[in-house]
Amino acid sequence: MEPGVQSNAAAAAAAPEFPPKKLVRQLDFTANFGTLPAAAAQSQAHATAAMQSQVATSSRTSISMPLKIESPRSRSRPVYDVKDGTPKKQKQCNCKHSRCLKLYCECFASGVHCDGCNCVNCCNNVENEAVRQEAVGLTLERNPNAFRPKIGNSPHSIRDIREDSAEFALVGKHNKGCHCKKSNCLKKYCECFQANILCSENCKCIDCKNFDGSEERRALFHGDHPNNLSYMQQAANAALNGAIGSSGYVSSPSLKKKLKGLPFGTSAKDQAIHRVAQLNQVNPLKTSGTAPPGNPVARAVNSASSGSSKLVYRPLLADIVQPEDVKELCKLLVVVSAEAAKTFSDRKVHEEKHKQKGDQTESSHALSNQDGDHNKKALPDDRSSGTTSDKMSTEEFTSDSTEMQKGSRPMSPGTLALMCDEQDTMLMTSQNSGAPPRFLYDQSVTEVYAEQERCVLTEFRDCLQKLITRAKVKEKYASMAMKSEASSSQQGPVINGNARVPMPSPAELLRSSNTFPISFHNFLPPKLGRSTTENGNIDSKTENLDL
DNA sequence: GAGTTTGAAACT
DNA sequence: CAGTTTCAAACTC
């Protein structure tokens, strides 16, 4: 073994100043380095360097900050197994000429020591910590943001992604943007693609096809590959777990074949798109402001390109769940959440009043009662009408309230991330609705969250169950329709249970059938008042909710 | 597994 | 800042 190449175990043992190698890399959507000590109120470069220094010397700071310097390269760890989604062993670099002291090296770029890598002359280890630190300094000198996450908040959040886009994209944006020229931003050469995000206006790519609404991208992510959904699920899971684990995302051989098989730049359609892209200069995003789908020309081409002769994958739910339904559901859940907060607050107020009343009664009658019973007696009777989980959530979180006050909130990072945008709104809503604000902030924020989460998840579950029922019914009808078509010997290609036959297609049959409602609207719960009117307009209860 | 392609990083 | 070189990963055969 070369002297520079170290063993993983030795590195881990000898490098207590660095986090364990297998730490899940976290997507820092906030990129919030502003939480660094005021003492580090220098440039961001210094802040980052100071952070490394702090970490390296295991010194001060109880401040919440990433212990590990995030990789600017989203292509690195963790790698998830494409089959079961479990984390695989991390990748190892193969550097030969950089001594693992430049950003070429994934490990170095990730801010971790090389650990069981196949590198040559590695200096990214404990034995060469001085050299390494020097390299870190040089790198930061060149680029103060070198070790910051490359993927930041998206300017086009979920709401801006076209609802009818079938493909899945994580919300995020490459801070620097990619500069791809030949990969159409649809290969892992592209940092955006690798991070499973759409190219943004930051990108300077040429002939980009990694935009929302891109047929090529859609084909790549949808196709008829049975595992594609699981890939997406995996990516979503990785994201929810704070990782940008796209590395294992397109790594399946079958999907590679699909990639390989894509007729990039060969079809007339592609040429048309190419021309449009060129008309849009390099990166269409830069000229259209949003995405090519916002560009009428590009949209037209995309639309035309999905011609009638092409086999189109149509999910069974395609006719049931309309884009507006998803939006609608989201709004409903927001309302449910707000309602839950309000209800919870009202209940608490009632409890307080009840308790005070009880105190007065007790004090007027006898002083012999023990104080310790007050809280238990104060538990409201009306809670008995609640569900078991209702009680549980309240009680178990009440016991945590002191811990919560200390700043520790028993909430998953995923939940936090999901709620970070909404929680303030929720609390404001609750306060404005008459709930004692101090109570919310000082005691029961966690309880409110728990209650909201419970209500939202319950509502969502109910919707999904109904959706499943609809899908089953539809599947049955589709199957029947196909059989009848087959028997009339006008058989067309069948994809996933949806026959593409001259006419009438099962979808048309289904649409024209009154047997069951097509629209998702129809089985959204009437709770809180339907949030859409008959003609599909959103009523005043939800229309001002900014999703 | 070797060779090629690709695009970020580094350099001029 | 633009052009070129270096580099290592992704990809192809």
Side-chain angles (χ1 to χ4, degrees):
Chain A
M1 177 189 287
E2 291 195 46
V5 183
Q6 65 181 65
S7 86
N8 299 352
E17 66 271 26
F18 274 81
K21 188 73 185 293
K22 300 298 187 291
L23 272 184
V24 172
R25 299 188 60 238
Q26 294 194 335
L27 239 193
D28 184 3
F29 280 108
T30 62
N32 183 9
F33 282 70
T35 54
L36 283 169
Q42 308 145 345
S43 72
Q44 226 167 35
H46 292 137
T48 311
M51 187 174 73
Q52 270 207 328
S53 176
Q54 286 172 353
V55 174
T57 55
S58 66
S59 64
R60 55 179 188 265
T61 195
S62 58
I63 296 170
S64 169
M65 64 168 73
L67 282 176
K68 186 164 89 176
I69 300 194
E70 294 300 326
S71 168
R73 292 188 174 205
S74 54
R75 67 174 55 146
S76 52
R77 296 154 263 256
V79 178
Y80 287 81
D81 189 286
V82 288
K83 286 178 182 167
D84 56 13
T86 55
K88 284 197 302 193
K89 194 173 192 298
Q90 71 179 41
K91 284 179 67 179
Q92 293 133 2
C93 72
N94 302 286
C95 306
K96 291 182 177 67
H97 306 295
S98 65
R99 294 191 300 163
C100 299
L101 290 180
K102 296 193 173 178
L103 293 174
Y104 298 127
C105 174
E106 287 191 15
C107 304
F108 181 80
S110 303
V112 298
H113 287 128
C114 282
D115 185 8
C117 301
N118 305 313
C119 41
V120 178
N121 286 329
C122 179
C123 290
N124 182 30
N125 50 36
V126 192
E127 289 80 10
N128 297 281
E129 189 58 39
V131 182
R132 184 180 178 277
Q133 286 299 327
E134 194 177 340
V136 168
L138 279 173
T139 304
L140 287 171
E141 200 173 296
R142 273 194 298 269
N143 175 18
N145 298 323
F147 295 102
R148 295 186 66 193
K150 276 189 173 178
I151 312 300
N153 275 329
S154 171
H156 46 74
S157 56
I158 287 174
R159 87 189 67 154
D160 294 324
I161 295 177
R162 278 176 57 209
E163 295 100 337
D164 58 340
S165 69
E167 68 267 37
F168 172 87
L170 295 181
V171 179
K173 178 175 120 178
H174 197 294
N175 290 330
K176 278 180 63 179
C178 68
H179 301 80
C180 306
K181 290 172 187 153
K182 300 180 179 178
S183 66
N184 301 109
C185 299
L186 288 179
K187 294 191 176 183
K188 290 179 79 179
Y189 296 127
C190 173
E191 292 196 347
C192 299
F193 179 84
Q194 191 164 59
N196 192 28
I197 58 174
L198 301 174
C199 286
S200 68
E201 69 273 11
N202 291 351
C203 299
K204 296 183 177 68
C205 39
I206 297 174
D207 207 8
C208 176
K209 294 191 169 67
N210 182 29
F211 56 84
D212 186 40
S214 159
E215 281 294 321
E216 287 77 7
R217 187 176 188 278
R218 194 190 304 265
L220 197 62
F221 280 79
H222 254 185
D224 53 359
H225 195 293
N227 285 338
N228 281 342
L229 279 177
S230 63
Y231 293 159
M232 289 185 266
Q233 170 103 48
Q234 167 200 332
N237 289 341
L240 286 174
N241 285 311
I244 187 76
S246 61
S247 299
Y249 181 61
V250 197
S251 55
S252 97
S254 48
L255 194 51
K256 283 180 180 174
K257 283 180 186 172
K258 180 177 289 297
L259 261 170
K260 177 184 175 182
L262 282 177
F264 291 140
T266 55
S267 66
K269 156 195 139 189
D270 218 62
Q271 288 169 8
I273 295 176
H274 183 83
R275 281 195 295 276
V276 170
Q278 285 182 331
L279 283 175
N280 283 331
Q281 296 174 11
V282 278
N283 176 7
L285 295 170
K286 296 189 76 67
T287 50
S288 66
T290 56
N295 179 326
V297 182
R299 279 188 88 146
V301 170
N302 279 332
S303 174
S305 66
S306 53
S308 56
S309 63
K310 186 174 159 191
L311 296 183
V312 180
Y313 168 82
R314 288 179 63 80
L316 277 172
L317 298 176
D319 294 321
I320 293 181
V321 181
Q322 302 296 330
E324 60 266 28
D325 297 328
V326 178
K327 196 172 180 179
E328 186 72 14
L329 175 61
C330 292
K331 289 185 176 180
L332 173 72
L333 294 180
V334 170
V335 171
V336 167
S337 180
E339 196 82 358
K342 185 177 183 305
T343 306
F344 186 86
S345 302
D346 291 344
R347 197 173 66 201
K348 270 292 180 182
V349 170
H350 182 263
E351 288 175 20
E352 288 297 311
K353 285 180 182 174
H354 191 274
K355 181 182 173 184
Q356 287 173 3
K357 190 178 177 181
D359 286 347
Q360 287 172 359
T361 307
E362 286 170 12
S363 60
S364 65
H365 282 317
L367 297 173
S368 59
N369 281 346
Q370 295 182 0
D371 292 341
D373 292 334
H374 284 185
N375 284 340
K376 287 179 183 175
K377 288 180 179 177
L379 283 174
D381 293 336
D382 56 322
R383 281 178 62 185
S384 61
S385 61
T387 63
T388 307
S389 61
D390 191 357
K391 291 180 192 172
M392 279 181 60
S393 63
T394 306
E395 288 171 4
E396 72 186 20
F397 280 115
T398 302
S399 65
D400 286 335
S401 61
T402 48
E403 187 185 349
M404 183 267 293
Q405 285 172 356
K406 291 173 188 170
S408 162
R409 289 169 47 189
M411 195 177 292
S412 70
T415 307
L416 270 177
L418 287 170
M419 294 193 67
C420 62
D421 289 339
E422 288 86 5
Q423 59 188 13
D424 290 341
T425 309
M426 299 298 177
L427 290 174
M428 293 298 289
T429 305
S430 302
Q431 287 176 17
N432 292 339
S433 63
R438 294 302 307 168
F439 146 71
L440 276 178
Y441 276 107
D442 292 345
Q443 279 195 340
S444 301
V445 177
T446 304
E447 296 178 43
V448 173
Y449 287 165
E451 180 70 9
Q452 286 177 307
E453 193 167 338
R454 189 187 65 79
C455 291
V456 166
L457 290 177
T458 302
E459 197 70 55
F460 189 45
R461 182 200 59 193
D462 292 344
C463 288
L464 289 179
Q465 282 175 343
K466 291 172 184 171
L467 187 59
I468 289 168
T469 305
R470 303 282 166 178
K472 284 179 178 173
V473 172
K474 187 188 171 183
E475 185 180 24
K476 187 178 174 184
Y477 274 77
S479 168
M480 289 166 55
M482 280 194 305
K483 282 178 184 172
S484 68
E485 289 291 339
S487 63
S488 64
S489 75
Q490 285 192 339
Q491 200 167 348
V494 174
I495 300 177
N496 195 26
N498 281 321
R500 314 307 280 162
V501 291
M503 69 176 349
S505 71
E508 289 165 339
L509 287 173
L510 291 168
R511 272 207 175 280
S512 61
S513 165
N514 289 326
T515 310
F516 60 91
I518 294 295
S519 174
F520 190 59
H521 285 141
N522 296 312
F523 61 90
L524 280 177
K527 185 173 183 175
L528 305 170
R530 283 295 312 120
S531 52
T532 51
T533 58
E534 272 208 337
N535 58 8
N537 292 333
I538 297 163
D539 74 13
S540 57
K541 187 157 191 173
T542 54
E543 68 184 351
N544 58 347
L545 289 169
D546 187 20
L547 287 174

